[in-house]
Amino acid sequence: MPGDRETAAEHGEGPAGSGTGDGHRRLEPTVTRTRPVRTTVDLDPTLHRRLKRWTADAAVKLDVVDLPLVEVLRALVRRVIVDEDLAAAVLDDLRAR
């Protein structure tokens, strides 16, 4: 969509904002993104099936009809950012791959 992309010139990386002429790039404030960023994840079919089963069980525990995967993933992302023990466990899992 128009206006969604930040250009190199907006960051002082292109010809329009290439710098001050003395070999130094001009520092300009960056634009803060306010629109959500879409992320796509491909899951192994078995992992996906187990995750769907977990969300169905969680929906029962939360007494809701449905618990979308996206809500679970958002909660996990928020938690891993602030929970040092969880972050360490995730790093251990990544090292073991």
Side-chain angles (χ1 to χ4, degrees):
M1 293 184 157
D4 284 349
R5 289 192 167 164
E6 300 173 53
T7 65
E10 290 173 320
H11 291 286
E13 297 171 1
S18 59
T20 59
D22 59 2
H24 293 91
R25 205 169 75 187
R26 180 176 57 234
L27 296 178
E28 297 179 20
T30 58
V31 177
T32 302
R33 185 178 177 111
T34 57
R35 298 178 73 170
V37 178
R38 179 168 300 277
T39 300
T40 304
V41 179
D42 295 323
L43 298 175
D44 175 88
T46 302
L47 183 60
H48 182 260
R49 188 171 42 258
R50 292 180 67 192
L51 180 58
K52 290 292 284 183
R53 189 176 306 131
W54 185 91
T55 59
D57 292 342
V60 170
K61 291 175 183 174
L62 294 171
D63 196 25
V64 295
V65 174
D66 184 39
L67 181 60
L69 287 176
V70 66
E71 293 300 324
V72 173
L73 295 174
R74 286 179 183 140
L76 286 168
V77 168
R78 285 190 297 268
R79 178 59 66 101
V80 79
I81 290 170
V82 299
D83 186 326
E84 292 180 17
D85 292 335
L86 178 58
V90 169
L91 289 173
D92 288 344
D93 289 349
L94 292 170
R95 282 186 193 102
R97 288 187 315 159

